[in-house]
Amino acid sequence: MGGRGEVGWQVEATRAQLGRSLKKPGLMGNGQWAFEALPGLHVNGAQTLGENIGALSGLTVALDACHDSLGGKPAPFLDGFNGDQRFFVGWAHVWRMVVRDAFIRRIVATNPHTPASSASRASSATWTPGTKRSA
């Protein structure tokens, strides 16, 4: 593993990738995510940017590891889903929660984390197919 300098450029590259993704039409407007945590309640993309960078980075490394584990072979189709689709379905399952609306409102207003109800959509919506981490 490299030193702090390497980590710095990797963070900046991820920030740049996420920043480009956030500018995709319909994804974010006026600092808000286009999708809602609750009806009429949008997540503040600027407030959650750092945590979303971390989630996107982890998602990238995990998907690369899945691909690497296949040894160059394609993942089999299971239950009508290819390997990448199953990966993202699993990611969404990780974020499943049942919480009260008041808790979601508090998270959106005060917390740098995207609420769990929106976290899987936030990370996967910024995903660029074919993205590979730097070796």
Side-chain angles (χ1 to χ4, degrees):
M1 188 71 188
R4 293 177 72 89
E6 290 181 68
V7 171
W9 72 259
Q10 290 172 349
V11 168
E12 289 307 313
T14 302
R15 183 182 299 273
Q17 176 186 341
L18 189 58
R20 284 190 303 275
S21 297
L22 292 176
K23 293 176 184 168
K24 290 180 182 177
L27 186 61
M28 193 172 156
N30 298 326
Q32 306 301 311
W33 288 103
F35 48 78
E36 301 168 315
L38 292 172
L41 180 64
H42 295 268
V43 175
N44 182 335
Q47 177 179 316
T48 61
L49 181 62
E51 291 297 330
N52 292 337
I53 287 171
L56 180 60
S57 299
L59 200 60
T60 301
V61 170
L63 186 59
D64 284 351
C66 286
H67 291 161
D68 291 348
S69 75
L70 296 170
K73 298 176 187 169
F77 273 81
L78 297 173
D79 298 323
F81 295 101
N82 67 35
D84 285 0
Q85 290 169 328
R86 289 193 315 275
F87 175 85
F88 284 105
V89 167
W91 174 256
H93 282 194
V94 167
W95 289 103
R96 288 177 22 175
M97 291 181 75
V98 177
V99 296
R100 297 182 186 272
D101 290 356
F103 178 75
I104 293 174
R105 284 187 186 88
R106 186 170 60 241
I107 293 295
V108 169
T110 64
N111 200 292
H113 297 87
T114 299
S117 60
S118 302
S120 64
R121 291 181 291 163
S123 297
S124 59
T126 58
W127 182 260
T128 303
T131 301
K132 282 286 277 182
R133 72 184 189 280
S134 297

